[in-house]
Amino acid sequence: MAARRTQKSEQAPAMPKYLGVFVTENYQGNDGEEKTSYTRVGAAFPHRKGCGFNIEITEGISVGGQLVALPPRHRQTAINLLI
């Protein structure tokens, strides 16, 4: 019996070439609602052996607390957030 092929739409999205690494800080917005600020402190790259990540923290930055790794945003999306 032939192996079942998975439709492209059923496959998990491809892993980006890197993930941005951020520290988070919670604060209260002008509307009184609790919000989160993300400050980029480095990048995470898939390990060449396939399991895990290599994380590079930007030189001169001291980090502590929770780190969050997120895929890069599409440039147009980032521009729209600035407007």
Side-chain angles (χ1 to χ4, degrees):
M1 183 176 260
R4 180 176 169 237
R5 288 193 165 167
T6 305
Q7 294 283 335
K8 189 170 186 169
S9 62
E10 293 177 17
Q11 295 175 349
M15 174 60 94
K17 295 183 191 257
Y18 72 93
L19 301 172
V21 177
F22 302 84
V23 292
T24 61
E25 181 180 350
N26 293 330
Y27 66 96
Q28 190 170 9
N30 292 337
D31 57 3
E33 190 175 323
E34 185 168 321
K35 299 184 178 195
T36 304
S37 169
Y38 292 81
T39 303
R40 187 176 175 148
V41 296
F45 300 89
H47 194 278
R48 69 177 181 190
K49 292 187 179 179
C51 185
F53 292 89
N54 293 333
I55 299 174
E56 295 181 14
I57 302 298
T58 304
E59 191 172 332
I61 292 182
S62 176
V63 296
Q66 181 179 3
L67 295 176
V68 177
L70 299 169
R73 289 188 174 168
H74 185 273
R75 182 167 169 75
Q76 188 60 43
T77 302
I79 291 170
N80 289 342
L81 290 175
L82 296 173
I83 298 175

